[in-house]
Amino acid sequence: MVASIQDSANPEQAPDAPLQPQAKPAPVALVTGASRGIGRAIALELGRFGATVVVNYSSSPDAAESVVAELTAAGGRAWSVRADVADEEQVEAMVKTVLERESRLDVLVNNAGITRDGLLMRMKTDDWRQVLDLNLTGVFLCTRAVSRSMLKARHGRIINITSVVALMGNPGQANYSAAKAGVIGLTRSTAAEFASRGITVNAVAPGFIDTDMTQELNQEPILAAIPLGRMGQPAEVAGAVRFLAFDPAAAYITGQVLQVDGGMVMR
Ligand code: NAP
């Protein structure tokens, strides 16, 4: 069984308010790049807390379906939708489908991301563009696509997955760290624009997390740079996202960057 989030989904309701005749419908969360890794963990976590989860993917339909199956088997509601988040038309169509099927969208998690690493001197322009298009423009496209319905509803939580390399830089990742730093600027500007309508926009900055993305890396120097002495787990990032998405205390947090990095970057 999934946990009920009726109370935490409605932090504005006064404790002594009369009981509503009907339970509020479950919040709907769209998680981009939810077929694998951190996105998968976020989808499972939000589903566990009672959300209807829309699992976005680009090229792994079987993996996306297995996330849907796991959520459904646990008593939740979920479905998957294919869309390349760097493609404006596909993003618009995805959000239209979500709103047609669910009539609401409470939470957007901009998680989809890729790396195309290489030293700047030799970096191909294509590798620069692909990473910026997906990791930064994709966040803009998805945010803009959901904005009309969230602004109208005067309610919403947007959580953007950035990275600690946005804060510290990383040799071989000029494209990726530029895109992720852009996500932080985008997060803050959007937070300022949407605050008056009760919508919060925050970023979560993972350090090194054990997913497909980090499989090829030489772990020895990485572990030496992490005060907690280990890689993070996708579920640990998902817990931070769930806090920002559903915890009543998070209603007063906006425009922030929450690091989940084992102490790698302390500022
Ligand atoms: P991952 O295991 O490689 O998974 C990437 C996800 O993004 C997959 O579900 C993939 O779906 C999806 N995706 C790729 N291209 C897409 C596109 N064009 N449209 C929609 N979805 C697309 O990566 P991860 O490690 O979980 O990373 C998730 C996020 O966390 C990324 O934004 C990443 O930059 C960030 N992050 C990761 C780490 C880390 O250490 N792992 C650290 C900091 C930040 P398909 O398989 O269907 O294409």
Side-chain angles (χ1 to χ4, degrees), residues 102-212:
E102 303 293 341
S103 310
R104 62 186 293 155
L105 183 49
D106 302 271
V107 178
L108 168 67
V109 184
N110 283 305
N111 165 79
I114 53 166
T115 50
R116 297 284 182 271
D117 295 352
L119 293 174
L120 184 136
M121 208 175 72
R122 289 196 294 267
M123 185 172 283
K124 294 192 177 75
T125 309
D126 251 11
D127 288 341
W128 170 270
R129 289 217 168 98
Q130 273 186 37
V131 168
L132 268 289
D133 278 356
L134 175 51
N135 295 11
L136 178 57
T137 307
V139 177
F140 158 71
L141 292 174
C142 291
T143 303
R144 191 182 59 181
V146 306
S147 62
R148 186 190 299 261
S149 100
M150 281 191 184
L151 289 167
K152 196 167 161 218
R154 292 182 163 269
H155 165 79
R157 301 278 179 267
I158 299 174
I159 297 129
N160 299 325
I161 307 301
T162 176
S163 166
V164 285
V165 305
L167 308 171
M168 66 183 204
N170 201 20
Q173 292 199 307
N175 50 1
Y176 183 77
S177 53
K180 293 299 191 182
V183 167
I184 294 176
L186 174 59
T187 299
R188 291 184 172 142
S189 294
T190 317
E193 285 188 24
F194 290 5
S196 65
R197 301 290 187 101
I199 299 162
T200 65
V201 188
N202 290 289
V204 170
F208 285 95
I209 309 297
D210 192 7
T211 69
D212 292 348

Side-chain angles (χ1 to χ4, degrees), residues 25-154:
V28 176
L30 169 61
V31 184
T32 70
S35 53
R36 295 183 285 115
I38 293 170
R40 177 180 192 280
I42 293 168
L44 295 177
E45 179 76 357
L46 299 187
R48 203 163 70 79
F49 274 75
T52 293
V53 184
V54 184
V55 175
N56 159 256
Y57 68 96
S58 167
S59 57
S60 309
D62 294 347
E65 276 317 304
S66 85
V67 178
V68 170
E70 195 168 332
L71 283 162
T72 312
R77 262 193 86 229
W79 48 280
S80 67
V81 58
R82 202 199 90 74
D84 174 354
V85 299
D87 183 303
E88 184 170 351
E89 273 181 29
Q90 292 184 35
V91 167
E92 293 291 333
M94 170 174 70
V95 171
K96 187 164 178 269
T97 305
V98 174
L99 292 170
E100 278 171 6
R101 278 183 72 159
E102 303 293 341
S103 310
R104 62 186 293 155
L105 183 49
D106 302 271
V107 178
L108 168 67
V109 184
N110 283 305
N111 165 79
I114 53 166
T115 50
R116 297 284 182 271
D117 295 352
L119 293 174
L120 184 136
M121 208 175 72
R122 289 196 294 267
M123 185 172 283
K124 294 192 177 75
T125 309
D126 251 11
D127 288 341
W128 170 270
R129 289 217 168 98
Q130 273 186 37
V131 168
L132 268 289
D133 278 356
L134 175 51
N135 295 11
L136 178 57
T137 307
V139 177
F140 158 71
L141 292 174
C142 291
T143 303
R144 191 182 59 181
V146 306
S147 62
R148 186 190 299 261
S149 100
M150 281 191 184
L151 289 167
K152 196 167 161 218
R154 292 182 163 269

